[in-house]
Amino acid sequence: MTTAPAASRRTTAAAPDVLQEIENRVLWLSSAIVHHANRVRPNPSGLKVGGHQASCASMVSIMTTLWFRHLRPEDRVSVKPHASPVLHAINHLLGELDASHLSTLRAFGGLQSYPSRSKDPDPVDYSTGSVGIGATATIWGALARRYAAGETGGGHAGRQYALVGDAELDEGAVWEAVLDPQVADLGELVWIVDLNRQSLDRVVPNNGADRLRGMFTAAGWQVLTLKYGALLEELFARPGGDALRTRLDAMSNPEYQRLLRCPVGEMRERLPGTGPEGPAITGLLAETDDATLLEAIQNLGGHDLPALDAALHQVDDHRPTVILAYTIKGRGLPTQGHPQNHSSLLTDDQMRRLADRVGADLAHPWQGFAADSAAARLCERTAARLRREPVPGARPPAVPSDGGRTPTGVATTQAALGRALLDLTRSAPEAARRIVTVSPDVSSSTNLGGWVNKVGVWSPTERVDWFADDAETVLHWRERPTGQHIELGIAETNLVGLLGELGATWSRWGEPLLPIGVLYDPFVQRALEPWSFGIYAGGQSILVGTPSGVTLAPEGGAHQSVTTPSLGIEQPGCTTWEPAFALDTEWTLLAALSRLGRPDGGSAYLRLSTRPVDQALAQVPADPAARERRRRQVVAGAYPLRRQPGARVTIAAMGAMVTEALVAADRLQALGVPADVVCVTSPGLLYRALDARAGHGEAPDWILDQAFPAERATPLVTVLDGHPHTLAFLAGIHRVPARRLGVTRFGQSGSLEEVYRHHGIDTDSIVGAALDLTQ
């Protein structure tokens, strides 16, 4: 990581009153954006629009200081979801967002509810919205940036700031990320915690700052605490000040925030308390005028611009830093400190009084600073300083569609993944060099060992492999900056968080990568929400779930995935393939790789199996044209595996169940019931094709005619190692009678035959279902 010299971090000093004027305008604009969406813009439906004026207000000082004093064009910022209006307000002041957009918060096609890289019209570095993901995205963004820098041979400077609400730190995935061994060396990470000590429903009873401080410190982070501002610190230095500090330090969050709601007379009565420090505090308050007292009680470090400025200058670039900034939710608004202010909205009258106080106009809420004013000049200088050069796009290297080999013997689709990756290093070295695999400590058990031995493990610095000369070591763990495999700890959310950021380097840094994450399929659901959010944010990646299904028979119900096959139907921006044979695996993997790192690309999910399958059953055509036709069918979602003259039933099988389907077809033939067998590779693509044929959406539908031609429409048996609803829609292609076989219960340990029989997906069950439909 290249660290910028200290001089480049300095910005042109702004007079305190000018920065205060900017801060007030940001508070006004963020409040007005929400106000307009809820109380000005017509709302015929009467449904709540929503917005978070109080959550914005607690971030205004932090974001004003960061943008107008410290941010550089190479830095990136993840903004807490509910502070999106603050981000839009600042972008507007910097000329990055036209005033016409400020009235469109949460409107169709307008400013999004939460910051969005792909949908907002102004610059947004990280999409946020799902709790905790915005914060951890900066960790994975830092790793991805370092990796991308290695790809080009250059170095990247730039901090990764995360502006985090303290309630977000309740999310366990945050700590899974913080504790990953890769993180302690990421000196570009700077998290600023908006420590307003409120959640959605209440004031949090206990102050958790000490606990947070200890947890971050234990993880190797620099911890800076901003508790009190300059005015309070000045009071602490007076006679009785130590007593006041002791009292405030010991005060519970609810008691403190109740003070914020008190008239000054009542505040003077409540503040001394009943403890031994009371008389000293009473004496101090007697020497303090009302205006100073009211201002001082609100003077927390997260709202003190000089204190924030000083803290940001103390950041250590050699390790991660967290700044715990004490704030008041709703600071500067009539709702400040109220326990139910999370989604509260200011009235017209309250907005009018706020406008009078900060020098704005409710009738013309988007009016800018006078062109020759000091505030306008500061905005212009800041905009010029932060202006980024456009990122030149680079097309990813071409990925072949067919490696040319025809697997023989017995193989698994899981093993075929590793084989296909190794083949790419020879057949398409330029594409292979862009591949980066990620695994949560399961690379060897998911058949990536050969790939890892070939390309090495990525590390910012080269490390000694002390087992390199051990003859019994099969997996060689060579860690170096040129490695192409990243090993994380056992945390699936970390895996997909990194995948999302590796899959976004093409748009962030102009360096397209081809990221592949491998994990056990039973744990895909644990990772699905953050992976889905990464896709929403523009990250393109391949997620491989293996081993999968009840085919993992001896593992029992705890490790037998049931619902994952339908991901391709249900997950936007993602194509799912579940190949049955090794060559199907290679073809679908290559197709998925070819869609990464490009504006029109997308993500993929491959569900693989450890079941050994005779590859001769694939009946791969020898003729080149016929082989290419088969490949296109595999990639498009299905292909006819067996056609029987006079077929009376069709068996549509997916993945590991193709073997049972073929054996069932043989038995049915002997019973005088000829059966076609169709191998389904992607239910999602078939579903889209059927939807498009009905006039909904756009997708090629030719595959339906080739896999399920009308002239061969017969009663249908569907079977897969997962929930049967995944293939249930296939009967709708020609509206034929159907039986749907699959897994709907938690599994059992046992042999493959026993487990298949238990779930009714064995050969006998397929034969019985076909006979029910035909006799």
Side-chain angles (χ1 to χ4, degrees):
M1 179 71 183
T2 303
T3 301
S8 69
R9 297 200 184 279
R10 300 194 188 104
T11 58
T12 304
D17 59 330
V18 178
L19 201 60
Q20 179 70 62
E21 188 177 0
I22 297 285
E23 180 187 26
N24 284 338
R25 186 55 58 94
V26 172
L27 175 64
W28 166 256
L29 286 173
S30 60
S31 300
I33 288 170
V34 178
H35 179 78
H36 192 283
N38 287 272
R39 300 199 187 277
V40 179
R41 192 171 67 220
N43 182 12
S45 71
L47 292 175
K48 173 188 173 184
V49 176
H52 302 85
Q53 290 172 324
S55 294
C56 288
S58 66
M59 286 297 303
V60 165
S61 306
I62 293 170
M63 293 177 68
T64 299
T65 304
L66 182 58
W67 259 264
F68 289 88
R69 290 282 295 135
H70 288 267
L71 208 59
R72 299 169 300 152
E74 60 266 35
D75 298 332
R76 297 294 182 268
V77 187
S78 171
V79 177
K80 79 169 190 176
H82 292 164
S84 64
V86 183
L87 176 62
H88 298 313
I90 290 175
N91 281 336
H92 170 64
L93 292 177
L94 298 181
E96 297 283 2
L97 183 66
D98 187 77
S100 61
H101 293 288
L102 301 181
S103 60
T104 67
L105 179 70
R106 302 188 175 210
F108 186 79
L111 298 177
Q112 298 301 295
S113 305
Y114 311 119
S116 172
R117 286 190 71 221
S118 57
K119 295 184 177 182
D120 274 321
D122 53 333
V124 174
D125 293 334
Y126 286 98
S127 295
T128 61
S130 188
V131 174
I133 290 179
T136 58
T138 57
I139 292 176
W140 315 124
L143 279 176
R145 192 177 201 177
R146 290 190 180 204
Y147 188 93
E151 286 290 311
T152 60
H156 285 291
R159 287 177 178 168
Q160 298 275 345
Y161 290 95
L163 308 181
V164 189
D166 54 353
E168 286 193 86
L169 299 182
D170 291 343
E171 173 57 58
V174 169
W175 299 104
E176 287 185 342
V178 167
L179 292 175
D180 192 273
Q182 301 266 17
V183 175
D185 295 327
L186 298 178
E188 61 267 49
L189 287 179
V190 181
W191 287 14
I192 306 176
V193 179
D194 173 15
L195 201 67
N196 60 44
R197 304 168 309 290
Q198 279 189 243
S199 60
L200 188 150
D201 292 324
R202 62 174 182 161
V203 177
V204 178
N206 300 314
N207 189 339
D210 290 339
R211 175 172 52 87
L212 293 176
R213 189 180 300 110
M215 293 167 73
F216 277 109
T217 300
W221 290 49
Q222 177 192 24
V223 181
L224 303 174
T225 302
L226 286 178
K227 189 168 187 179
Y228 300 120
L231 184 54
L232 265 176
E233 292 289 352
E234 182 184 335
L235 287 182
F236 294 156
R238 299 180 186 179
D242 287 340
L244 178 61
R245 183 193 292 272
T246 300
R247 167 81 167 118
L248 291 176
D249 283 343
M251 190 177 288
S252 70
N253 294 332
E255 184 182 3
Y256 169 74
Q257 297 203 185
R258 183 64 185 89
L259 284 176
L260 300 174
R261 312 290 302 169
C262 292
V264 68
E266 185 178 346
M267 184 184 295
R268 290 180 180 276
E269 294 176 5
R270 287 175 176 263
L271 189 53
T274 58
E277 67 273 10
I281 297 173
T282 300
L284 173 61
L285 298 185
E287 300 295 324
T288 307
D289 63 78
D290 288 352
T292 300
L293 178 58
L294 288 171
E295 186 178 353
I297 290 302
Q298 304 174 33
N299 184 225
L300 297 184
H303 300 299
D304 191 288
L305 299 179
L308 285 162
D309 187 58
L312 286 165
H313 276 299
Q314 295 177 46
V315 170
D316 178 0
D317 281 314
H318 298 92
R319 56 175 173 158
T321 295
V322 61
I323 300 174
L324 302 177
Y326 281 72
T327 59
I328 298 170
K329 196 165 185 174
R331 173 71 158 84
L333 303 180
T335 57
Q336 70 175 11
H338 194 280
Q340 280 85 52
N341 67 7
H342 183 78
S343 297
S344 64
L345 298 170
L346 270 61
T347 64
D348 286 344
D349 186 57
Q350 288 173 328
M351 284 293 294
R352 192 171 292 107
R353 291 201 301 270
L354 176 63
D356 292 341
R357 180 167 66 82
V358 300
D361 184 349
L362 183 59
H364 303 91
W366 322 128
Q367 188 171 353
F369 295 117
D372 60 346
S373 67
R377 289 194 296 271
L378 177 57
C379 290
E380 291 172 0
R381 292 198 305 271
T382 303
R385 171 170 54 81
L386 295 180
R387 189 161 294 121
R388 297 172 181 170
E389 295 298 323
V391 176
R395 291 189 63 83
V399 176
S401 59
D402 190 340
R405 290 194 315 111
T406 303
T408 58
V410 175
T412 71
T413 55
Q414 177 178 289
L417 170 70
R419 178 78 263 170
L421 290 175
L422 285 173
D423 286 347
L424 267 177
T425 63
R426 292 183 288 271
S427 63
E430 288 300 315
R433 274 195 286 271
R434 292 281 172 172
I435 292 175
V436 52
T437 56
V438 186
S439 171
D441 199 35
V442 293
S443 54
S444 57
S445 57
T446 54
N447 285 90
L448 285 183
W451 164 260
V452 172
N453 285 345
K454 175 75 174 179
V455 302
V457 178
W458 180 81
S459 173
T461 58
E462 188 154 358
R463 296 174 178 169
V464 175
D465 179 8
W466 293 104
F467 290 88
D469 58 350
D470 188 331
E472 296 182 7
T473 299
V474 177
L475 181 62
H476 299 290
W477 210 254
R478 290 187 285 265
E479 297 179 85
R480 56 200 179 200
T482 57
Q484 292 179 241
H485 176 76
I486 301 177
E487 190 86 357
L488 299 174
I490 304 175
E492 288 77 14
T493 56
N494 289 353
L495 169 87
V496 295
L498 179 54
L499 272 186
E501 290 306 317
L502 289 168
T505 56
W506 66 274
S507 58
R508 288 196 192 282
W509 321 119
E511 288 297 328
L513 298 175
L514 310 179
I516 303 173
V518 181
L519 76 166
Y520 294 160
D521 196 70
F523 307 138
V524 165
Q525 285 182 303
R526 187 183 300 172
L528 186 56
E529 192 263 342
W531 189 52
S532 174
F533 197 84
I535 295 173
Y536 166 80
Q540 299 172 3
S541 62
I542 299 172
L543 186 64
V544 179
T546 184
S548 62
V550 300
T551 297
L552 194 60
E555 290 284 344
H559 280 179
Q560 294 173 351
S561 50
V562 174
T563 62
T564 51
S566 60
L567 287 184
I569 299 175
E570 300 158 2
Q571 175 59 54
C574 171
T575 301
T576 290
W577 284 286
E578 184 167 345
F581 301 103
L583 189 53
D584 295 356
T585 305
E586 177 187 294
W587 284 338
T588 54
L589 175 66
L590 294 176
L593 287 169
S594 70
R595 299 180 68 242
L596 300 180
R598 54 200 324 124
D600 59 344
S603 296
Y605 164 65
L606 269 63
R607 189 175 191 252
L608 305 183
S609 172
T610 51
R611 184 182 186 183
V613 174
D614 181 0
Q615 298 303 299
L617 296 176
Q619 302 176 35
V620 179
D623 180 81
R627 178 187 175 102
E628 173 58 16
R629 184 171 184 267
R630 165 70 70 83
R631 186 200 67 80
R632 292 181 67 245
Q633 291 172 337
V634 167
V635 171
Y639 60 93
L641 187 54
R642 181 178 296 181
R643 296 288 199 210
Q644 294 285 20
R648 295 175 54 195
V649 68
T650 299
I651 304 172
M654 189 164 73
M657 303 313 304
V658 167
T659 299
E660 272 63 35
L662 290 171
V663 174
D666 290 339
R667 288 173 54 182
L668 287 167
Q669 182 74 20
L671 293 171
V673 183
D676 286 347
V677 178
V678 177
C679 181
V680 175
T681 56
S682 177
L685 291 177
L686 296 182
Y687 182 85
R688 293 175 211 171
L690 183 60
D691 224 25
R693 177 163 289 184
H696 305 293
E698 296 182 2
D701 63 358
W702 60 266
I703 188 59
L704 299 178
D705 294 328
Q706 294 193 10
F708 300 96
E711 64 273 14
R712 300 192 70 85
T714 62
L716 180 68
V717 177
T718 63
V719 58
L720 73 154
D721 185 2
H723 199 283
H725 83 84
T726 306
L727 300 181
F729 71 92
L730 293 177
I733 297 175
H734 299 300
R735 300 180 181 178
V736 296
R739 283 288 306 277
R740 304 160 186 88
L741 306 181
V743 181
T744 59
R745 295 172 288 169
F746 287 116
Q748 299 286 338
S749 296
S751 68
L752 203 60
E753 294 77 10
E754 291 170 326
V755 171
Y756 281 179
R757 188 180 308 115
H758 173 74
H759 290 287
I761 56 175
D762 59 324
T763 303
D764 285 351
S765 297
I766 299 173
V767 171
L771 293 176
D772 287 344
L773 290 169
T774 57
Q775 295 182 358

